[in-house]
Amino acid sequence: MNRRLALVFALTAVAAALAGVVAARLVGGHGGVPLVSGTWLPSRRPVAEFHLEDLSGQGFTLQNLRGHPTLLFFGFTHCPDVCPITLATLAQAQRTVPLPGAQVVFISIDPQRDSAANMSEYLSAFSKDFIGARGDEAALGPLLKSLGAIAERERLPDGNYTLDHSATLYLLDGQARLAAVFSPPFKTADLTADLRRIATDASL
């Protein structure tokens, strides 16, 4: 083996070792509570101020996310698969292991079609406790950017449109800071196990 090839192998081994350390810290580094379907952030991250409306027409801001843990998800009522599957999984997990004091918030990224009435009917099919919020693109922008989420309109051949969006589930702590993220595909058993573990974290 020549020296250059040996150096490449050595650097690859070091990189792999460092990646393993980082991954271990992310997965189980927050209070030592491992997550099956989620990842703890190395440190909790503040969320930007935003101004939306809830389904009764009242203001919905960062203040509404303070004082309790929040499981937040972006979606739209015309979503054919990811949104209903995620909401159904969340509803089942919450029924099995209610996270003390937690709220589930569904934020529409489709203000053109998602009226308050449509959203209320849609969410009630999953859980009467789910909270809905909506706003125009300008109002949604700061929150989407703060969480690193995307929402992009895609035109369909028939003239209608759909939306490509982040399918991530965001866990915020009682100070409205991003604490963990959960990535699809979501499995009820895994998410339920994670909620059970998270319930033991008094810092949320």
Side-chain angles (χ1 to χ4, degrees):
M1 181 184 298
N2 60 43
R3 293 182 60 186
R4 178 173 296 180
L5 190 56
L7 179 59
V8 169
F9 282 160
L11 290 175
T12 301
V14 170
L18 288 175
V21 170
V22 171
R25 288 180 177 177
L26 288 176
V27 174
H30 186 87
V33 180
L35 298 177
V36 178
S37 58
T39 301
W40 291 109
L41 270 66
S43 60
R44 297 184 184 182
R45 195 172 76 202
V47 175
E49 293 284 348
F50 61 88
H51 300 277
L52 304 174
E53 287 188 355
D54 66 18
L55 302 188
S56 64
Q58 300 299 309
F60 190 89
T61 69
L62 193 62
Q63 187 59 36
N64 293 89
L65 303 180
R66 294 194 172 107
H68 34 64
T70 298
L71 290 163
L72 187 151
F73 183 72
F74 295 101
F76 61 114
T77 63
H78 285 70
C79 180
D81 40 37
V82 173
C83 298
I85 290 172
T86 300
L87 290 173
T89 302
L90 264 174
Q92 179 60 38
Q94 278 284 75
R95 284 194 295 269
T96 305
V97 185
L99 186 58
Q103 61 181 6
V104 174
V105 175
F106 177 82
I107 296 181
S108 171
I109 54 171
D110 190 10
Q112 183 175 328
R113 296 182 295 192
D114 285 351
S115 66
N118 289 344
M119 288 182 65
S120 181
E121 180 178 1
Y122 180 76
L123 291 178
S124 65
F126 300 98
S127 172
K128 63 181 180 59
D129 296 321
F130 285 0
I131 296 169
R134 57 191 299 276
D136 60 24
E137 292 183 9
L140 286 167
L143 182 56
L144 289 168
K145 183 177 180 180
S146 179
L147 294 174
I150 62 168
E152 298 178 353
R153 184 177 296 198
E154 179 183 342
R155 288 289 176 185
L156 298 175
D158 62 2
N160 290 317
Y161 67 89
T162 187
L163 289 156
D164 289 331
H165 64 96
S166 301
T168 303
L169 181 63
Y170 303 90
L171 174 66
L172 279 60
D173 67 11
Q175 297 181 49
R177 299 175 303 180
L178 181 61
V181 293
F182 298 83
S183 301
F186 299 110
K187 296 181 179 179
T188 301
D190 291 346
L191 190 56
T192 298
D194 283 342
L195 292 184
R196 185 175 286 111
R197 292 183 178 94
I198 289 169
T200 66
D201 190 337
S203 68
L204 286 175

